[in-house]
Amino acid sequence: LRELAENFAVVAPYSAGKRSFYEEPRQKLLRFVDWVGSDAGRQAGCPDVDPSRIYLFGFSDGATVGVELATTKRFAAGIFAAYGFTGELPELAKNRDRKS
């Protein structure tokens, strides 16, 4: 259990005033990831983060957002459940996906 605690952390942004994360600009979510790994994040209590070991997890709207964020290629991998988005991915996400 100690090894898990020393090698695993869950951090999640809070979408204050929004119905879901889907309404948050993607760049704002990516800035949050950058902040977690920054000196300011550590001073606020975030653990040390190895940028090559950041994974995405998402359910429902979080799955939709996670799939889009995964196209940035900044994450080691992702697990998404209930990807129920019935609309169309933004052009930027589609372009990134085409390049992979």
Side-chain angles (χ1 to χ4, degrees):
L1 189 57
R2 181 182 173 146
E3 183 177 337
L4 179 62
E6 291 175 355
N7 290 291
F8 186 81
V10 175
V11 293
Y14 182 71
S15 196
K18 307 276 193 233
R19 291 177 298 162
S20 79
F21 288 118
Y22 198 73
E23 296 178 355
E24 286 290 1
R26 302 310 175 254
Q27 288 302 316
K28 185 175 180 182
L29 295 170
L30 292 171
R31 283 192 306 271
F32 172 77
V33 172
D34 292 337
W35 175 83
V36 167
S38 72
D39 289 338
R42 282 187 292 285
Q43 289 172 359
C46 295
D48 285 333
V49 175
D50 176 350
S52 70
R53 295 178 64 198
I54 298 176
Y55 296 81
L56 293 169
F57 298 88
F59 174 77
S60 190
D61 284 353
T64 303
V65 173
V67 168
E68 290 180 26
L69 292 177
T71 66
T72 66
K73 310 248 187 272
R74 293 182 53 179
F75 303 93
I79 297 174
F80 311 109
Y83 182 67
F85 180 67
T86 57
E88 190 170 321
L89 288 173
E91 198 60 36
L92 180 61
K94 289 190 287 187
N95 289 336
R96 287 180 181 147
D97 190 44
R98 285 184 200 115
K99 293 177 185 176
S100 58

